[in-house]
Amino acid sequence: RKEPLFFYVNNKVNSRLIKPRENKILREIIQKYDLIFIIAHLQTLRTKEIINFSRELNKPVVFRTTGEIELSGGAPAYLKDVNLFLHHSLINAHNLHNKLKTDNYTIIDQNSYMEPELLKIPVVKRKVIRFVAIARLAPEKNLFNLISFFKEYCEEDDELLIVGTGKLFSELSSIIGKTPNIKLMGHLSLKELKRIYTNCECAVIPAYTEAGPLVGIDAMAAGKIILSTKAGAMPE
């Protein structure tokens, strides 16, 4: 039992004990409300139960999907009981609804939490030497490759700031080592992020998979050059 406790919630023994009680609680909660709003990845645990109970209790369901939708096979049948999907990417929408054979979705326009402040940052024309990557420090964010690439190809004046926290913090710190022009900044407040955007010229989004990402919207509001993989809504 070296893993965190939540790793063991879904083992066979606990499932027999917990599942009936959990379903009872879900039903009781759903019964109280007029509309059920799900904000989750398509394959998030308990999504199926929530949708099925909502259908049985005649409660409409709005599903705001997060993450990139990748369905190797067909889409689960219970998703047809969702009344409306909200997507911020046409690619994401088509990946799902071409399989579901439904058009019960609408595309929403994301905006930045910091939009009023970021729009005040003056657009400047200067040599691009300061790069920033803002991401959770997780494997899918592809930061190891970004650091490796930057080490190999950066010029003397270039600087890469990596903003965020996560389970790879120690590993990334070790790889960066004493490289003077790569800095791991950790978590920053919104005020500090505005300062980062003001002082950098380019935002880098190196992830393998994304939902948006919101950092892309932030960078656009700040008027920054963006270098991105074809992840999430970025191609759009």
Side-chain angles (χ1 to χ4, degrees), residues 64-116:
R64 163 72 163 92
T65 59
T66 63
E68 206 162 346
I69 296 173
E70 296 177 308
L71 296 168
S72 53
Y78 61 83
L79 292 176
K80 291 185 178 180
D81 292 317
V82 173
N83 298 82
L84 180 67
F85 283 91
L86 303 180
H87 304 289
H88 57 259
S89 160
L90 277 170
I91 295 171
N92 244 6
H94 293 162
N95 285 346
L96 174 62
H97 294 278
N98 287 347
K99 297 278 179 70
L100 280 179
K101 310 296 183 191
T102 65
D103 58 358
N104 58 333
Y105 70 90
T106 189
I107 304 296
I108 56 174
D109 186 13
Q110 268 193 307
N111 69 313
S112 166
Y113 296 118
M114 303 186 288
E115 188 170 284

Side-chain angles (χ1 to χ4, degrees), residues 110-125:
Q110 268 193 307
N111 69 313
S112 166
Y113 296 118
M114 303 186 288
E115 188 170 284
E117 293 301 313
L118 293 176
L119 288 171
K120 294 175 185 175
I121 296 174
V123 177
V124 293
K125 293 183 178 180

